[in-house]
Amino acid sequence: MNATSTGALLLCRADPETVRPLAHLLREQMLLTRAGGEWSVLVPEGKPWRGTGPGGGDPEPVDRVLGGWATALAVGSTWPVLALWWDGDRAGYTLAAGFRRTVGYIWLADGTPVGEDEAMRTFAARLGLDPVLDLQALEELTRPDPEADAEARLRGLLAVLTRTGLTLPPGLGPGESADRLRSVVGVQRGAERIEWAGWRDAVRVELDAVEAGSLGPWVRGPRARAIAAAQLAAGLPLLLWGVRRRSGGWAAAGAVLLAQGALGLAYHRAREAAERS
């Protein structure tokens, strides 16, 4: 690899429809496409590691930028996020899963491993890989091998992940430049552009995702309106009965039902108003 081949990929163990809402919240322009039955891949359109860091200082390393993105995506989701990165000097990965500490590994450009063996064991455990065969293949990547450079090490890592259903589009892999990665994803069928359009649109995208999912009928629509109306109808007499009987528990239950019913109807009206605007 050379100095011009800096590149980065974000692999999410979820389908694009699930990844899309959270990807909007990164406030970065990215391309999103499917990478197998259970995976999606995000490719940054820009090169933020070439810009200045916080406070106008030196540019942030690509591994730090990708690690931050992976952590942000994983904290708000139930699926793991794997950041792969490479530049002229090193290559490596960062795995983020929920609120747990991230785990990562680094190889020098010539393939020399400089990470900790424990990282590979944690990596295998968090992704549910085979504790014998897959872990053995991963541990091979931590041993000296004069025939394997950093690019080959990452390809070896991806080869293990193919057993989980990961399939990257042809041409999308370690060693390619950021421009090449972007052009490859851009021509993929079903690829879409993720752009930040402000908090209002980000929240709208998130709500759209919830409504399109399994909880949708319970959040909005005839069923949701019927439930909200039933909560109001049951809550008011229950509240009054609890007040008359001086029963704080029943009064509180009635108040909760009233609040939930009112919020349900208010949410429905707010979403209709937002769509008309």
Side-chain angles (χ1 to χ4, degrees):
M1 293 185 294
N2 54 57
T4 63
S5 63
T6 301
L9 299 172
L10 280 170
L11 304 177
C12 305
R13 200 169 187 178
D15 56 52
E17 291 73 21
T18 304
V19 173
R20 186 190 305 115
L22 286 176
H24 275 276
L25 301 181
L26 291 178
R27 304 177 68 176
E28 296 285 343
Q29 291 186 336
M30 294 194 178
L31 292 170
L32 170 66
T33 193
R34 188 174 294 277
E38 298 181 7
W39 292 82
S40 301
V41 58
L42 284 163
V43 176
E45 284 201 276
K47 303 169 186 176
W49 47 85
R50 288 189 175 181
T52 57
D58 295 332
E60 288 193 89
V62 62
D63 58 322
R64 189 178 302 171
V65 173
L66 265 290
W69 287 346
T71 300
L73 286 172
V75 164
S77 67
T78 58
W79 28 268
V81 182
L82 177 63
L84 299 182
W85 54 268
W86 53 91
D87 58 25
D89 301 317
R90 306 173 303 155
Y93 73 79
T94 300
L95 176 66
F99 288 92
R100 289 180 288 187
R101 182 177 62 86
T102 59
V103 60
Y105 202 91
I106 296 175
W107 295 272
L108 300 182
D110 62 2
T112 301
V114 293
E116 298 180 1
D117 292 348
E118 181 62 31
M120 285 299 187
R121 289 189 285 272
T122 304
F123 177 87
R126 290 186 182 176
L127 288 178
L129 302 177
D130 188 286
V132 178
L133 297 179
D134 290 342
L135 183 57
Q136 183 179 2
L138 291 173
E139 288 178 337
E140 287 292 328
L141 302 175
T142 68
R143 298 180 182 129
D145 184 353
E147 302 298 323
D149 60 8
E151 181 181 334
R153 302 286 197 175
L154 285 183
R155 286 200 301 267
L157 185 80
L158 290 171
V160 175
L161 293 180
T162 59
R163 301 170 194 172
T164 68
L166 175 67
T167 305
L168 287 175
L172 199 69
E176 300 290 351
S177 68
D179 292 334
R180 169 64 177 166
L181 296 174
R182 184 174 63 249
S183 64
V184 168
V185 174
V187 299
Q188 297 301 310
R189 183 177 181 180
E192 57 183 299
R193 178 171 281 104
I194 302 295
E195 294 184 279
W196 174 252
W199 284 109
R200 181 177 179 179
D201 286 343
V203 171
R204 181 179 296 179
V205 169
E206 182 76 28
L207 293 175
D208 287 340
V210 172
E211 292 175 4
S214 59
L215 295 177
W218 303 99
V219 174
R220 186 182 177 196
R223 186 181 300 176
R225 287 196 302 271
I227 292 174
Q231 288 172 327
L232 288 172
L236 182 57
L238 187 60
L239 173 61
L240 295 176
W241 186 84
V243 171
R244 285 198 301 268
R245 294 297 186 99
R246 297 183 179 179
S247 172
W250 288 112
V256 169
L257 284 172
L258 276 175
Q260 289 178 334
L263 285 174
L265 293 178
Y267 173 83
H268 189 272
R269 294 194 186 97
R271 288 291 280 156
E272 286 187 333
E275 289 178 354
R276 289 194 299 267
S277 63

